[in-house]
């Protein structure tokens, strides 16, 4: 039987954060213990994919960030204004519950984040991520992210290439 589609929404207090069980314990703990404080302090925004009214199947966070122009690949940097930094949005966390892995949800959350950021009235040159391990970096490369030449675990995707819906 096929599952109903997930609903994407900003995290709110009716969602069951305690039941979330992804592969990464730090990411489970972050959702359980830290995220609401970060949202309240406006240091992160959190969006969830809901399997039903309360059940969180996956989540991601976004916050504003910047990239040093000199850290970008030369071919990218030379097309940008000569300011020391370029505006970016960081996807600080992305996780899918074990029960929902491998069904396209990670990709759908990433697409939702790209759509949200590229569709914003506040400009950012790229969505960036700090991949926590090689498997995560592979996931982002698979989706077109480019690694910084001197920091291969930091990857970015220029938003001008993203078509918004
Ligand atoms: C990484 C993660 C979010 C992927 O979620 P998922 O729902 O299992 O992934 P999807 O089913 O959406 O996969 C989407 C695509 O990415 C590919 N993919 C998934 N994991 C991959 C990996 N580690 N390396 C390369 N490609 C990967 C899939 O093959 C699929 O490709 P396709 O669209 O061409 O068929 C999930 O495995 C997870 O929560 N991991 C632990 C936390 C983590 O590493 N977070 C990353 C941020 S640091």
């Amino acid at each position: 039987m096929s599952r109903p589609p997930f609903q994407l929404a900003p995290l709110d207090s009716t969602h069951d954060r305690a039941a979330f069980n992804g592969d990464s314990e730090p990411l489970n703990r972050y959702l359980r213990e830290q995220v609401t404080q970060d949202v309240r302090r406006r240091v992160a925004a959190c969006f969830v994919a809901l399997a039903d009214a309360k059940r969180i199947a996956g989540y991601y966070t976004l916050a504003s960030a910047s990239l040093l122009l000199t850290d970008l690949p030369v071919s990218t940097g030379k097309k940008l204004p000569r300011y020391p930094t370029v505006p970016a949005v960081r996807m600080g966390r992305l996780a899918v519950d074990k029960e929902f892995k491998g069904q396209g949800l990670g990709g759908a959350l990433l697409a939702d984040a790209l759509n949200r950021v590229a569709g914003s009235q506040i400009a950012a040159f790229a969505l960036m991520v700090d991949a926590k391990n090689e498997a995560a970096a592979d996931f982002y490369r698979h989706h077109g992210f480019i690694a910084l030449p001197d920091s291969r675990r930091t990857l970015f995707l220029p938003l001008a290439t993203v078509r918004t819906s």
Side-chain angles (χ1 to χ4, degrees):
M1 203 170 73
S2 68
R3 287 183 186 280
F6 300 99
Q7 201 199 330
L8 283 143
L11 176 71
D12 74 38
S13 58
T14 64
H15 303 148
D16 185 1
R17 291 180 289 110
F20 184 81
N21 184 26
D23 279 337
S24 160
E25 194 42 46
L27 293 176
N28 297 342
R29 203 177 322 121
Y30 177 77
L31 189 66
R32 244 182 2 247
E33 296 173 10
Q34 180 72 35
V35 70
T36 54
Q37 200 174 80
D38 283 0
V39 170
R40 202 164 47 241
R41 291 178 176 158
R42 293 192 62 84
V43 294
C46 181
F47 301 91
V48 294
L50 295 164
D52 61 35
K54 282 165 51 164
R55 176 84 158 94
I56 299 173
Y59 80 93
Y60 67 86
T61 63
L62 297 177
S64 52
S66 62
L67 283 160
L68 280 174
L69 190 66
T70 49
D71 284 349
L72 293 170
V74 174
S75 58
T76 306
K78 74 180 182 203
K79 295 180 203 138
L80 292 165
R82 310 276 95 202
Y83 301 131
T85 60
V86 283
V89 172
R90 175 181 282 110
M91 195 164 66
R93 280 149 178 114
L94 168 69
V96 168
D97 188 288
K98 285 177 194 167
E99 191 186 328
F100 300 97
K101 267 185 72 174
Q103 301 173 24
L105 182 56
L109 285 165
L110 185 55
D112 187 68
L114 286 166
N115 198 45
R116 202 176 290 282
V117 176
S120 169
Q121 291 181 314
I122 301 170
F125 167 68
L127 184 69
M128 64 178 288
V129 294
D130 291 306
K132 66 178 176 63
N133 54 34
E134 247 338 276
D138 276 350
F139 173 78
Y140 292 115
R141 276 193 292 268
H142 178 84
H143 289 281
F145 280 70
I146 302 160
L148 296 185
D150 295 330
S151 175
R152 309 295 299 171
R153 292 269 176 90
T154 301
L155 301 100
F156 70 98
L157 189 70
L159 292 164
T161 61
V162 174
R163 253 185 299 153
T164 54
S165 60

